[in-house]
Amino acid sequence: MHTLDPVAGSVPLRGSAAVIAYLLATARTYGVRINRTKLAKLLYLADLRAVEQGISSGSGVEWRWRHYGPHSLRLGEVERDLCAAGLIVVEESVDPYAGYRERVIHLVDAPQVVIDAEFARIVDGVLAEYGQWSAGQLRDLTYQTAPMQAAIKVNRREARLDLAGGPPLPDLGPRLARLRRWLERNPLPEDEPGGIDDLVGESQDLADHRAEATRHLLEE
């Protein structure tokens, strides 16, 4: 695992929050300005590179084709959590001529983070290679990747991207929602056959028979 130097008394970040904090801290070291679009695209490229190298994606988010390329709603949730913790500040600015609105993410403190060391090296490499690219350039680059091309081929916006480059993954959300509704309407009875209590009782009832059988085997 890889860690950043901790803030005194801080609790280590893990999961998606840790990866995002690590990316922001590393970007600051490189002098790279990170806005929301760049954060999403750089993190996607790191996940994609990890899968290409035969390891698991490290961000912990689900990528879909939305918001001008690969994106995840989970990123917004993590951003709000980090803001609430006082670890980042999101600065909004508007170009008065182009009307372009930009939300730049600033890391306030360098929290202790716990992430996979190999994935940390991948994030370092992606930032070194693409950190100075503009958000528009990164967006165009991600559109050329195999997962995005597969989604474009079947024209499925909001599709779950397969980072291995295959066709978009099936969306399990509606099926899981139907399953939850069915379970709410059909709760398991308390005397459901095969329950843990029944198994424990059955095991206890057979204990003497098992001991007798074992004794005969040992005497042979």
Side-chain angles (χ1 to χ4, degrees):
M1 305 303 289
H2 186 89
T3 62
L4 290 177
D5 292 334
V7 175
S10 64
V11 177
L13 295 177
R14 298 176 184 274
S16 302
V19 172
I20 289 174
Y22 179 81
L23 188 151
L24 291 172
T26 307
R28 185 169 66 181
T29 300
Y30 291 158
V32 173
R33 178 185 176 93
I34 298 290
N35 59 29
R36 282 180 176 172
T37 301
K38 286 188 67 169
L39 175 66
K41 304 324 179 206
L42 289 169
L43 195 56
Y44 166 79
L45 291 171
D47 273 351
L48 184 60
R49 183 168 293 184
V51 172
E52 289 173 347
Q53 294 182 11
I55 66 173
S56 299
S57 59
S59 72
V61 307
E62 177 186 80
W63 295 104
R64 291 178 181 263
W65 176 13
R66 56 161 64 107
H67 296 309
Y68 307 106
H71 192 72
S72 173
L73 295 179
R74 174 65 179 148
L75 299 181
E77 297 172 356
V78 175
E79 179 185 300
R80 288 190 291 273
D81 290 343
L82 292 176
C83 280
L87 297 176
I88 66 171
V89 171
V90 180
E91 179 185 46
E92 183 173 317
S93 62
V94 178
D95 186 323
Y97 301 102
Y100 173 71
R101 179 173 295 176
E102 181 183 33
R103 293 178 177 87
V104 180
I105 303 173
H106 301 280
L107 187 68
V108 176
D109 289 318
Q112 184 180 18
V113 300
V114 179
I115 67 173
D116 179 77
E118 193 168 359
F119 188 70
R121 287 192 292 271
I122 289 174
V123 171
D124 293 345
V126 168
L127 276 167
E129 189 170 351
Y130 301 113
Q132 299 299 336
W133 288 32
S134 70
Q137 289 173 318
L138 288 171
R139 177 201 61 210
D140 293 343
L141 174 63
T142 59
Y143 264 101
Q144 302 307 312
T145 60
M148 279 297 301
Q149 286 294 305
I152 292 169
K153 184 177 180 180
V154 296
N155 194 29
R156 282 182 54 192
R157 283 189 175 273
E158 294 297 316
R160 294 173 61 215
L161 301 179
D162 181 1
L163 296 186
L169 299 169
D171 197 336
L172 301 180
R175 298 179 186 177
L176 290 175
R178 288 197 296 270
L179 178 59
R180 292 190 187 98
R181 290 194 296 269
W182 185 89
L183 289 173
E184 290 172 357
R185 296 192 301 269
N186 301 273
L188 293 176
E190 294 182 359
D191 59 346
E192 179 69 14
I196 296 298
D197 292 339
D198 293 338
L199 290 175
V200 171
E202 183 178 347
S203 177
Q204 292 173 343
D205 291 341
L206 295 174
D208 292 340
H209 298 291
R210 288 198 303 271
E212 180 69 16
T214 301
R215 185 177 62 79
H216 284 297
L217 289 172
L218 292 175
E219 291 175 350
E220 292 180 357

